[in-house]
Amino acid sequence: MKKSFYLYVLTFRGGDWSDAKVRFAEEVFHEHNFPKQSIDFDELSTYIETYATDNLTTEVFDELWDLYIEQGR
């Protein structure tokens, strides 16, 4: 079974804070309502669009989603 997007994103935690992907991962980790089991683009994208912050942006989500899909191939 493919791991969730959440688990993939957590692999970026603890990196260089100047990397937007690291900041996104830290923000997701602290978001208690983030859909942690989801592998569905629409569900995740809607959540990000609804609860966007300075570190939880659609631009970084799109970049991470592309990496997530590529990693799953």
Side-chain angles (χ1 to χ4, degrees), residues 45-57:
S45 179
T46 298
Y47 182 89
I48 299 300
E49 290 169 2
T50 303
Y51 298 103
T53 66
D54 289 344
N55 293 321
L56 199 67
T57 66

Side-chain angles (χ1 to χ4, degrees), residues 12-36:
F12 289 89
R13 286 190 74 216
D16 182 353
W17 194 251
S18 67
D19 184 346
K21 293 183 296 297
V22 170
R23 294 191 308 274
F24 186 97
E26 291 295 337
E27 185 88 14
V28 162
F29 178 74
H30 294 287
E31 264 306 306
H32 298 291
N33 294 322
F34 191 85
K36 294 176 174 67

Side-chain angles (χ1 to χ4, degrees), residues 56-67:
L56 199 67
T57 66
T58 56
E59 293 81 14
V60 178
F61 168 72
D62 289 341
E63 181 180 354
L64 284 165
W65 182 261
D66 289 342
L67 293 170

